[in-house]
Amino acid sequence: MTSVHADQRPNILFVFTDDHAPHAIGAYGGWLKDAAPTPNIDQLARQGVLFENSFCTNSICGPSRAVIQTGKHSHINGFWKNGQRFDNTQQTFPKILQKNGYQTAVFGKWHLAALPTGFDHYEVLKGQGPYYNPPIKSAEGTAKIEGYTTDIITDLTLDWLKNGRDREKPFMLMCQHKAPHRNWQPGPDHLTMYDDVEMPEPETLWDDYEGRGAAAKTQAMTVANHLSKNDLKLTPPRNLTSAQLEAWNAAYEPKNAKFERDNPQGKDRVRWQYQRYVKDYLRCVASVDDNFGRLLQYLDETGLAENTIVMYS
């Protein structure tokens, strides 16, 4: 077996988003492929490996992260539902890399209750975290940072790459976004994106769950019946600054007034709700892709791309 010297070991950048469906990634096709705002993610797919037959061990927010950290199924790592506390004393892959000379860091959504271990540096959201002006928890304490969360997580990641890491060591860096998790609040750069676009509708928009079991019929995730006023942006977020609220109202108030005036009912209302939901969702995805592009650009400009494994999941 040939050993790999420290200066040859690859850096690892793992970018993780929450609820980013494959049909909202251009490289995967699907009915949204022409609208999917993912040129940077698609570039990674073209230049690397596109996983077309992959599976999720546990799709819930926290348990999914616990599986990734440990490589163990949920019933073994002990974290099988949100609201539990991750046992951070158990073996994780960052601890193994750390013991073998890697510098490790994590930024963004953590959602495991217990503090990150196995990381030389961490700056993570408290719980789920808001889309705007998030409190960020680090070894020094918790501080609120003003701005859009997707941008902030990328800013922190880039700052560590530029100023925080030991350049004599390979790094394993996790950049973990809240977006595009419900309730899909777009960033200031994308508030009016797709205003003049009619999004294609999936066949499942009109699924009546006929012939399916009780679980399918009692779930609470339909466009027709389960989107709240917050989901639909009929009410603004509560934690915006005055400038953010002004931009938000400028984007949404005219659309909301039109909705109130037209007051669609039946299938027309479902269609309106779907358009509002899917555009906000893709606006959040667009911000993720823009920020992913910032990371790729930095790796290219600094030459780090030559020896860095980049994963988007």
Side-chain angles (χ1 to χ4, degrees), residues 174-187:
M174 304 186 81
C175 174
Q176 308 197 141
H177 292 292
K178 171 195 174 67
H181 192 285
R182 193 175 187 173
N183 57 359
W184 321 293
Q185 293 177 7

Side-chain angles (χ1 to χ4, degrees), residues 4-12 102 170-172 307-309:
V4 178
H5 296 291
D7 58 354
Q8 296 174 313
R9 285 179 293 176
N11 303 306
I12 301 166
Y102 272 78
F171 62 79
M172 191 288 295
N307 194 36
T308 300
I309 297 169

Side-chain angles (χ1 to χ4, degrees), residues 47-292:
Q47 294 177 343
V49 177
L50 179 69
F51 290 88
E52 296 181 323
N53 191 32
S54 55
F55 302 88
C56 182
T57 314
N58 190 327
S59 62
I60 304 171
C61 297
S64 182
R65 295 160 200 278
V67 168
I68 290 169
Q69 288 294 310
T70 62
K72 297 185 287 192
H73 286 282
S74 300
H75 68 288
I76 299 175
N77 70 47
F79 195 105
W80 61 87
K81 65 178 181 177
N82 286 335
Q84 293 181 309
R85 190 174 189 84
F86 178 62
D87 174 11
N88 63 5
T89 65
Q90 62 189 303
Q91 185 68 285
T92 63
F93 86 89
K95 291 179 183 179
I96 295 171
L97 289 174
Q98 203 176 39
K99 288 177 182 176
N100 286 275
Y102 272 78
Q103 191 172 28
T104 58
V106 59
F107 298 92
K109 187 172 178 181
W110 179 244
H111 211 201
L112 290 172
L115 291 175
T117 53
F119 294 96
D120 296 298
H121 187 83
Y122 67 87
E123 293 181 65
V124 295
L125 298 173
K126 290 183 68 177
Q128 181 69 245
Y131 268 101
Y132 281 82
N133 311 319
I136 298 289
K137 186 187 301 183
S138 70
E140 287 73 45
T142 301
K144 184 177 179 179
I145 302 180
E146 188 175 305
Y148 188 59
T149 298
T150 306
D151 297 335
I152 289 168
I153 291 169
T154 307
D155 290 343
L156 294 173
T157 302
L158 283 169
D159 183 62
W160 185 83
L161 280 171
K162 294 173 183 177
N163 307 307
R165 64 188 173 92
D166 181 350
R167 293 170 185 259
E168 299 301 313
K169 294 182 178 181
F171 62 79
M172 191 288 295
L173 171 59
M174 304 186 81
C175 174
Q176 308 197 141
H177 292 292
K178 171 195 174 67
H181 192 285
R182 193 175 187 173
N183 57 359
W184 321 293
Q185 293 177 7
D189 296 335
H190 302 97
L191 285 171
T192 58
M193 187 177 185
Y194 301 120
D195 271 6
D196 300 323
V197 177
E198 187 78 7
M199 290 294 171
E201 295 175 358
E203 293 180 9
T204 51
L205 184 59
W206 309 109
D207 194 341
D208 61 5
Y209 299 97
E210 185 64 34
R212 250 71 61 81
K217 295 175 182 176
T218 58
Q219 57 82 26
M221 294 286 281
T222 65
V223 169
N225 301 314
H226 300 113
L227 294 178
S228 69
K229 286 189 174 183
N230 285 332
D231 292 332
L232 294 169
K233 314 308 181 295
L234 297 172
T235 55
R238 290 191 292 270
N239 65 322
L240 299 185
T241 65
S242 56
Q244 290 165 349
L245 182 60
E246 183 177 352
W248 187 273
N249 287 338
Y252 282 102
E253 277 190 346
K255 294 178 246 182
N256 291 345
K258 184 177 186 301
F259 164 72
E260 296 292 348
R261 183 178 69 249
D262 296 346
N263 192 26
Q265 297 297 323
K267 278 198 167 185
D268 286 341
R269 181 178 179 107
V270 173
R271 284 195 165 98
W272 183 90
Q273 292 186 172
Y274 168 73
Q275 291 295 323
R276 171 59 60 92
Y277 147 68
V278 78
K279 289 178 183 179
D280 282 339
Y281 178 88
L282 291 175
R283 288 164 181 149
C284 293
V285 170
S287 181
V288 165
D289 189 80
D290 285 353
N291 279 281
F292 184 56

